[in-house]
């Protein structure tokens, strides 16, 4: 009840949202030392502050005076080169998903069979000296910590099927087939909560991939597209420390979100093969079953022979999916690839790719030409 009261207080102050996500106001209050708690919690303000500081992470202070509106560079936006690039990527699509439930169940069974082993449930207790002072409660751990392994017969088992159904949205029948087929039900008896979390993660990950494995995109009619005029109509703003001056972009500055994007933009500016490009704005979205996907870049490159090649590029620090792409993000990128493939109706269509640098794009030019 006390935890709920503290939660409601933080929510009422606007420090967390309805889902418990930390807001910037909490980070600022922690940084300024202005965090307040209800009177009953006042003696524990110190420990509460420390816990919230660990959970909230760093506050990125942005100076409002550094905020700038980014203007379009008309010489690029109205150029024939950019029009040719935009005509290849502007059209919208719709998609259909061919969902094979049997294949999903089999995949979940294999994934759960290969999941890590489950340790037995353990209880651990520690001893500490508690001191209550003006600064709050301080605990100093003493020797004597101990761990006890629980006997499986002493563990009260929760409703496994209902819990997994709530977490995965699969039918009870499908979940029952996955669990029995995996041969891992003994792990559930050994450590119920850990098994439920593991099984839910395995099923949801396979479900995300199953949604995109059979996805097919179809271009909508000629009247469904992102108009080039949106670059002028939709306002784009950024902060000075996250902006890079440009001459080849449709905007006078590139607003970047990471170091990899900053480096990529600089490479685009300095590479003579790159004629025009755009950091695709947030309103340029590809529909997917997992939510909208916003690719990073549209690029026009001209070869030494004068051939123009068009690319949509997603920049990542690694080309290996497991290294830095979460499963959901990886699935969205797969959808993006299928979307642009459906738009490949021109003689030289835009090619979608994931790249670490402009050199990765340049490297495929001879292969593309063949």
């Amino acid at each position: 009840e006390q935890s709920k009261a503290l939660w409601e207080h933080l929510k009422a102050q606007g420090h967390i949202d309805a889902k418990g996500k930390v807001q910037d106001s909490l980070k600022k209050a922690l940084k300024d030392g202005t965090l307040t708690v209800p009177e009953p919690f006042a003696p524990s303000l110190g420990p509460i502050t420390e816990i919230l500081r660990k959970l909230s992470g760093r506050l990125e202070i942005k100076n409002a005076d550094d905020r700038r509106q980014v203007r379009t560079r008309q010489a690029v936006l109205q150029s024939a080169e950019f029009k040719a690039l935009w005509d290849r990527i502007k059209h919208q699509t719709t998609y259909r998903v061919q969902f094979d439930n049997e294949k999903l169940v089999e995949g979940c069974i294999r994934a759960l069979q290969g999941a890590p082993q489950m340790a037995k449930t353990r209880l651990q207790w520690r001893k500490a000296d508690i001191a209550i002072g003006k600064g709050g409660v301080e605990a100093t751990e003493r020797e004597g910590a101990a761990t006890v392994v629980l006997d499986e017969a002493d563990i009260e088992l929760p409703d496994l099927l209902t819990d997994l159904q709530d977490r995965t949205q699969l039918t009870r029948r499908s979940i029952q087939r996955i669990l029995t087929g995996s041969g891992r039900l003994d792990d559930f008896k050994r450590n119920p909560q850990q098994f439920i979390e593991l099984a839910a993660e395995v099923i949801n990950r396979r479900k995300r991939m199953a949604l995109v494995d059979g996805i097919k995109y179809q271009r909508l009619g000629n009247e469904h597209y992102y108009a080039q005029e949106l670059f002028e109509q939709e306002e784009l703003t950024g902060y000075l420390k996250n902006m890079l001056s440009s001459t080849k972009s449709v905007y006078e500055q590139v607003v970047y979100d990471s170091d990899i994007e900053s480096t990529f933009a600089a490479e685009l500016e300095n590479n003579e093969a790159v004629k025009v490009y755009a950091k695709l704005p947030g309103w340029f979205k590809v529909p997917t079953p997992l939510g909208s996907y916003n690719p990073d870049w549209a690029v026009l490159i001209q070869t030494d022979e004068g051939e123009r090649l068009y690319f949509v590029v997603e920049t990542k620090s690694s080309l290996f999916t497991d290294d830095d792409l979460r499963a959901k993000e990886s699935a969205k990128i797969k959808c993006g690839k299928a979307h642009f493939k459906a738009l490949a109706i021109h003689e030289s269509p835009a090619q979608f790719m994931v790249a670490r640098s402009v050199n990765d794009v340049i490297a495929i030019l001879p292969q593309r030409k063949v």
Side-chain angles (χ1 to χ4, degrees):
E1 292 176 357
Q2 290 180 319
S3 175
K4 183 178 180 181
L6 184 57
W7 171 284
E8 292 298 335
H9 171 77
L10 293 173
K11 182 179 174 183
Q13 295 294 315
H15 292 333
I16 59 175
D17 63 13
K19 296 182 179 179
K21 184 178 180 181
V22 172
Q23 305 299 299
D24 279 349
S25 63
L26 176 57
K27 296 181 180 181
K28 190 173 189 306
L30 291 170
K31 182 178 179 64
D32 298 341
T34 58
L35 178 69
T36 60
V37 295
E39 184 60 31
F41 297 94
S44 303
L45 178 59
I48 290 173
T49 299
E50 289 305 313
I51 292 173
L52 290 176
R53 185 172 285 116
K54 291 178 181 178
L55 293 174
S56 63
R58 293 174 54 193
L59 172 63
E60 185 180 357
I61 302 295
K62 294 181 178 179
N63 189 341
D65 293 337
D66 291 340
R67 187 177 176 88
R68 297 286 188 274
Q69 181 175 349
V70 182
R71 295 181 296 181
T72 56
R73 186 173 295 281
Q74 290 295 311
V76 175
L77 183 61
Q78 304 302 332
S79 67
E81 290 89 352
F82 184 73
K83 184 179 185 305
L85 173 60
W86 193 248
D87 284 346
R88 285 162 168 78
I89 67 172
K90 68 181 181 180
H91 289 283
Q92 299 176 8
T93 60
T94 185
Y95 64 83
R96 292 183 178 181
V97 175
Q98 297 178 347
F99 192 83
D100 189 332
N101 190 68
E102 194 65 28
K103 186 177 179 181
L104 172 63
V105 170
E106 293 174 358
C108 289
I109 290 174
R110 290 194 300 271
L112 193 53
Q113 287 174 338
Q117 294 299 310
M118 202 76 60
K120 289 186 177 182
T121 303
R122 289 174 166 80
L123 287 180
Q124 183 182 62
W125 66 83
R126 301 175 184 175
K127 297 180 181 180
D129 292 323
I130 303 296
I132 302 178
K134 293 183 179 180
V137 179
E138 294 184 1
T140 305
E141 188 169 350
R142 297 166 47 190
E143 295 183 359
T147 302
V148 174
V149 178
L150 294 186
D151 187 274
E152 294 177 15
D154 296 333
I155 302 175
E156 184 177 347
L157 299 177
D159 186 343
L160 176 60
L161 291 180
T162 299
D163 202 334
L164 285 178
Q165 187 176 30
D166 291 340
R167 292 172 181 246
T168 67
Q169 308 304 312
L170 292 187
T171 65
R172 296 171 72 92
R173 176 180 172 82
S174 294
I175 295 172
Q176 181 266 333
R177 289 182 57 199
I178 293 170
L179 297 178
T180 54
S182 70
R184 297 287 300 268
L185 282 173
D186 285 341
D187 286 331
F188 171 61
K189 299 176 184 178
R190 185 176 298 117
N191 195 327
Q193 188 59 37
Q194 189 178 1
F195 179 80
I196 289 173
E197 293 175 359
L198 175 67
E201 174 61 25
V202 165
I203 292 172
N204 282 327
R205 180 170 295 190
R206 294 298 306 182
K207 191 175 73 170
R208 284 193 293 265
M209 298 311 298
L211 284 172
V212 302
D213 279 345
I215 197 167
K216 292 187 180 298
Y217 280 83
Q218 181 177 354
R219 175 181 155 174
L220 296 173
N222 290 331
E223 67 275 13
H224 297 281
Y225 63 91
Y226 289 109
Q228 193 167 320
E229 289 74 19
L230 286 172
F231 282 97
E232 299 174 276
Q233 297 170 3
E234 298 290 335
E235 182 178 295
L236 177 65
T237 60
Y239 291 86
L240 292 177
K241 66 178 182 179
N242 295 109
M243 295 169 63
L244 179 74
S245 296
S246 65
T247 58
K248 300 179 183 178
S249 168
V250 292
Y251 291 109
E252 293 183 352
Q253 292 87 23
V254 175
V255 180
Y256 57 86
D257 299 321
S258 63
D259 290 340
I260 185 81
E261 288 187 355
S262 172
T263 301
F264 194 83
E267 291 175 348
L268 290 171
E269 286 291 327
N270 296 329
N271 196 300
E272 294 182 356
V274 177
K275 298 306 174 185
V276 295
Y277 70 91
K279 177 74 167 63
L280 292 171
W283 48 259
F284 187 90
K285 298 177 180 178
V286 175
T288 84
L290 307 173
S292 297
Y293 165 58
N294 173 225
D296 287 334
W297 310 88
V299 183
L300 188 160
I301 291 178
Q302 185 166 306
T303 67
D304 293 337
E305 292 77 15
E307 181 184 6
R308 289 180 179 175
L309 303 176
Y310 307 88
F311 296 90
V312 176
V313 182
E314 182 74 21
T315 42
K316 294 299 170 189
S317 59
S318 171
L319 298 183
F320 297 99
T321 301
D322 292 338
D323 282 355
D324 72 340
L325 293 185
R326 294 170 296 178
K328 186 175 181 179
E329 186 179 2
S330 176
K332 283 188 176 184
I333 290 175
K334 188 172 183 179
C335 290
K337 185 175 183 179
H339 162 85
F340 288 106
K341 185 176 180 181
L343 300 185
I345 60 175
H346 290 80
E347 181 179 344
S348 180
Q351 179 178 343
F352 178 87
M353 66 177 299
V354 178
R356 297 163 300 183
S357 66
V358 172
N359 286 336
D360 288 337
V361 183
I362 300 295
I364 73 168
L365 293 186
Q367 176 182 343
R368 176 68 183 267
K369 186 178 178 181
V370 172

